[in-house]
Structures are given as C-alpha cells and as structure tokens.
Amino acid sequence: MEKVVVTGGRTLCGSVQVSGAKNAALPLLAASLLTDKEIRLSNVPNLSDIQQMLALLDGHGTTINYNHETKTCALRTRSIKSEVAPYDIVRKMRASILVLGPLVARYGKAVVSLPGGCAIGTRPVNVHIDGLLALGANITIENGFICAQTSQKRLRGAEIRLPMVSVTGTENLMMAATLATGQTILRNVAKEPEVCDLANCLVAMGAHISGIGTDTLTIDGVEELHGAEHTVIPDRIEAATYAIGAAITHGDVVLENVIFDDLSIFWDRLRSAGATVEELPGDSGGPRAVRVKMDQKIREVDIITGPYPGFPTDIQAQFMALMTLCSGASMITETIFENRFMHVLELCRMGANITIHHASALVRGVGQLTGTNVMATDIRASVSLILAGLAAKNTTEVHRVYHIDRGYEQIEKKLQQCGAIIERVAI
Ligand code: EPU
C-alpha cells in the first residue's frame, strides 16, 4: 500500500507535459479486436487502467507490444482465442465493457461480466445491451455475465436512438456497427472528443462513418477492417487538472500538448474564477501549449456538469477543490452521475464549507484549508484532494493512491517539476 504526501503552500510554476487521453486510449485498444491486422497506437499513457485493458485483450488472444518509453502500442488479434471478459478484470475497470461490441461484431459471440455499480453511481449498461439487440444480437444475462451471440454471421444495421447520451455506449455501438451488414444510424450519441478520436481511427481502419462530432452517426458496415496507425489525443481532463493546480496555488503553469477547443467551457469557467488562460502559438491544427496563471483572489463560479460540450463531470471534483477557496459561494451541480460527491466530506475534513442539496453542492469559500489524512473512492475525487492539499496549510496524506494511478501518469513527478512538495510513501 502507498499514500501520497503533499506539503501545501507552494506556488506551482513551470510546465507540464500532458499525456495521451486514458478515455480515448481505452476504446482504441478495444478496437484492435475488430481486425486481424496490426493497429499501431502512439501517445498511449502508461496507466493501470491501460494495463487492465491490455490484460483483457491478452486473454482474448491479442498480441501486444507496448513500449513504456515511447508510449507506442502495437496490437494484433489474428484470431480471437476467448470471448470471455472475466469478472476479475471487469470489476476493476468498467471500461472493460468496450470489448463487447467488437467481440460480437467480429467473432459473433461475447461473454462479458456485468460491471455492477461503482463508487460514482449505479451506472447501468442498458444502452450497450439494447443497442446490440437492435443490431441483431441475441443477449441473455447468465450468472452475472452478458452473453451475446449473433444468429447470422454478421450483425445487421439498424436505426437506433440512444435513450441517454452515453460515452462508452456510443463507442461500443459504433464499433459493432462498422462490421454489420447495411447501414446503422445512431442518434443522440455522445460527442466527446474521445468518441471522435475513436471514430477517426476506425475510419483509418477502413470503416465508413459520417457525422463524426455531431448527434447522429451514420455507419455503413464493411466486411472487414484493416490495420492503421493512430495517435491518441491529449488528455483534456489531465490538462484541466493541472490548470486547476496552477489556479489554486496562484501559480503560473504552461500545459504542453493540449487541444484548446476540447476544453472551451472549462477555460471559460476558469477565466471567470479569475485565471488568465492563454493559448500559446504553435503548429496550426495540432495540440498546442496553454498558459494558466492566477494572480488575484479566486472568484466564485457556478458550474453544471453535462455531456460534451458541457462542463465535464470528470473535472467537477477538481473544480470544487478550487471553489473551496473562492471569495464568495459557488453552486456545483452534477447531472451525469448520482453519487459523484464522495470527495465532499473529505474536503470538509480539510476545512471546506460545503453543503449538498440533492444533485447540487453549495460551496462557501473559506480563507484556508488545512491538511489531514484523506481518502477517496475514484480517480477524480482522489486528485481533487491532492489539489486541495497543494493549497492547504501543513501536510495532506492521500490514501488509496491506486485510484490516482488509474488516470494520472507520474503525477508526483509532474507536480514536483512545477515546485510542489509531494511524494509517494509506502505504508
Ligand atoms: N447510463 C445508463 N445506461 C447505460 C449507460 C449509461 O443509464 O447503458 C447513464 C450512466 O449511469 C450515467 C450517464 O448515462 O448516468 C452517462 O454515462 P456514460 O455511459 O456516458 O459513462 P461511461 O461511458 O461509463 C465515460 C468515462 C467516464 C466519464 C463518463 C461521462 C470512459 C472509459 N469513461 O464513462 O470517465 O465520467 O463517460 O463523461 O470513457 C473517469 O475517467 O474518471 C471516468 C469516470
């Protein structure tokens, strides 16, 4: 077991290299099951969730060559060895459900453990199951597993309206439809940049997809997909987390490798909180650097989370950490997950003044936070406590660091390079 110890009070100054996006890399890795040819991905972050996905793919018969230094990953699934995604992996990482669509589409069957509830909410998978049913799969739930099978060789195209916007639901159905017969129209889909990144890679693999980045995807199925090379987009959630690190410590940080427009609403809210946000010149089109500086009191800002282009739920906890020190009061409303306020009580233990009313948290700014022992139950909640610790008086000890390692690559090193006092200690 390990804990992260943060000594607060240092201003973050320097630069941070933003890694590849976890939530883009996970479906891209799963997409390698759709073809018997090689998929070469670059900018794949070295995270425990990525290792979980690679372990899952290994079980399905994928040959994997992941280079930790260059962050490149070559994957090839000549044939599918097993259609089973076991409980032991799925329970650790819900994104394991992303193998369901590709397995049924290419192999005609899949047996994937039901992920169950998790710390941030009940998180059902009806969108995935109902969508595959509409594409012609037969599905039963047996002993906690989703057992899917096609009666024909291939799934068949269909018109499907997603009952709610689901990121991995859209990704699963889009992947499945690439190999179906005929046309699939998916309506009310997620438009997150990670979904678009997957769609672009699928197109590079020979899929026929139009409407990328809109509410409706039209997919004309093909008989087979081929190999491709693809670079994973930068992690916008990681970038936003370090941007808040700069703001909460009244620092000045340059974030390298950011797609500025993917975070429009976040930059807007961060500016409203008093930060200066400046996109630095660079190559046109590609990721750029962004400078975030805070040299005034933190102002209160209300936020409401929503599907893209709304304010990301994955930045809600970090933004709340910032608002604990604002000069007024901020209302933070979570509309995506019903239980994503697990960080609130821990922040309160550090001296924050937060009251929850149903899906909203009223954050009254306090003059100072104080470090203590804290622990959190998911990736973003954990990192919000690190952010709070950076600004707090004394030392903050964050437990259950395995949550952080699921989504943040070398977080201590990246923060140390900006002057933070932070270390990982074995317990
Ligand atoms: N939902 C259903 N039924 C479904 C699917 C979703 O009711 O079949 C509900 C969920 O319970 C939730 C809402 O729809 O209330 C949206 O959930 P979504 O399916 O979009 O979430 P997800 O695909 O499971 C991804 C990210 C999450 C991120 C959410 C929302 C990945 C691997 N995970 O989850 O990332 O919070 O979208 O943007 O892409 C994280 O990285 O920390 C993380 C939790």
Side-chain angles (χ1 to χ4, degrees):
M1 291 277 271
E2 292 174 321
K3 62 183 175 185
V4 166
V5 182
V6 188
T7 303
R10 298 284 286 246
T11 293
L12 290 194
C13 286
S15 72
V16 173
Q17 189 69 34
V18 175
S19 299
K22 166 181 83 78
N23 289 347
L26 289 170
L28 287 165
L29 293 171
S32 67
L33 291 171
L34 288 164
T35 173
D36 62 353
K37 302 294 184 310
E38 189 173 79
I39 302 296
R40 297 179 70 83
L41 299 175
S42 46
N43 205 27
V44 179
N46 189 9
L47 298 167
S48 61
D49 269 16
I50 298 296
Q51 298 306 332
Q52 290 292 340
M53 182 57 89
L54 294 179
L56 193 57
L57 294 177
D58 179 60
H60 294 311
T62 308
T63 307
I64 299 157
N65 191 347
Y66 180 54
N67 185 322
H68 296 244
E69 297 296 315
T70 58
K71 306 285 165 67
T72 52
C73 190
L75 306 109
R76 186 158 187 188
T77 319
R78 284 175 203 272
S79 63
I80 288 171
K81 208 167 68 185
S82 160
E83 73 273 25
V84 181
Y87 174 67
D88 252 8
I89 296 186
V90 181
R91 76 182 166 85
K92 291 190 200 131
M93 186 187 65
R94 294 183 53 86
S96 306
I97 190 88
L98 285 164
V99 299
L100 179 64
L103 284 175
V104 190
R106 173 158 164 222
Y107 193 52
K109 50 185 175 176
V111 177
V112 177
S113 174
L114 274 167
C118 77
I120 60 177
T122 48
R123 298 180 82 181
V125 287
N126 56 301
V127 171
H128 307 244
I129 293 176
D130 293 347
L132 285 173
L133 280 169
L135 291 172
N138 299 315
I139 301 189
T140 52
I141 306 293
E142 290 168 33
N143 308 318
F145 283 79
I146 306 164
C147 304
Q149 199 149 14
T150 51
S151 43
Q152 313 282 311
K153 199 168 161 272
R154 292 166 65 187
L155 292 167
R156 52 162 201 270
E159 197 168 330
I160 302 168
R161 185 176 177 84
L162 274 59
M164 75 254 305
V165 179
S166 164
V167 173
T168 51
T170 301
E171 292 165 344
N172 236 336
L173 299 180
M174 175 168 61
M175 287 191 281
T178 59
L179 290 180
T181 56
Q183 189 173 73
T184 299
I185 301 177
L186 300 176
R187 299 192 193 280
N188 194 33
V189 297
K191 296 176 289 202
E192 268 67 3
E194 294 76 17
V195 177
C196 301
D197 201 34
L198 172 66
N200 289 331
C201 179
L202 292 170
V203 168
M205 291 165 70
H208 295 171
I209 305 175
S210 60
I212 298 171
T214 73
D215 294 319
T216 304
L217 291 169
T218 303
I219 302 143
D220 288 297
V222 293
E223 239 173 86
E224 53 182 33
L225 295 174
H226 50 70
E229 286 192 19
H230 183 82
T231 302
V232 179
I233 54 168
D235 197 318
R236 64 195 170 105
I237 308 300
E238 191 198 17
T241 302
Y242 288 109
I244 293 173
I248 202 169
T249 61
H250 289 90
D252 184 354
V253 171
V254 173
L255 305 160
E256 308 276 357
N257 195 31
V258 180
I259 301 176
F260 192 81
D261 291 349
D262 287 352
L263 278 167
S264 295
I265 194 162
F266 168 71
W267 301 129
D268 178 75
R269 298 300 182 273
L270 196 63
R271 281 176 173 141
S272 299
T276 308
V277 178
E278 183 193 358
E279 189 182 15
L280 302 177
D283 293 344
S284 58
R288 304 249 190 110
V290 178
R291 182 175 177 189
V292 178
K293 197 171 153 196
M294 182 67 125
D295 49 18
Q296 55 177 307
K297 277 189 176 167
I298 301 167
R299 290 198 297 256
E300 70 273 27
V301 184
D302 293 346
I303 59 163
I304 304 179
T305 64
Y308 189 84
F311 192 96
T313 173
D314 290 344
I315 315 178
Q316 179 258 109
Q318 301 90 311
F319 205 85
M320 190 183 292
L322 178 66
M323 287 298 105
T324 61
L325 293 170
C326 75
S327 47
S330 149
M331 181 72 89
I332 296 186
T333 304
E334 171 60 55
T335 71
I336 306 289
F337 294 112
E338 76 272 21
N339 195 23
R340 214 175 193 181
F341 281 145
M342 302 296 280
H343 42 285
V344 166
L345 283 177
E346 298 300 292
L347 288 170
C348 289
R349 294 184 57 249
M350 296 177 71
N353 180 349
I354 309 169
T355 316
I356 300 176
H357 298 276
H358 303 290
S360 295
L362 177 63
V363 187
R364 294 185 175 91
V366 294
Q368 175 82 68
L369 296 172
T370 310
T372 183
N373 279 292
V374 285
M375 78 173 125
T377 39
D378 78 276
I379 309 173
R380 313 304 169 187
S382 313
V383 86
S384 76
L385 300 173
I386 292 187
L387 292 172
L390 290 170
K393 199 166 66 183
N394 305 336
T395 298
T396 302
E397 297 193 1
V398 183
H399 296 262
R400 297 195 181 162
V401 291
Y402 52 84
H403 287 301
I404 300 166
D405 295 334
R406 292 186 56 194
Y408 289 89
E409 203 178 27
Q410 299 197 307
I411 187 163
E412 302 98 272
K413 192 170 159 209
K414 289 186 184 187
L415 286 171
Q416 282 161 2
Q417 281 169 351
C418 294
I421 305 177
I422 177 168
E423 58 176 348
R424 186 177 289 242
V425 180
I427 42 176

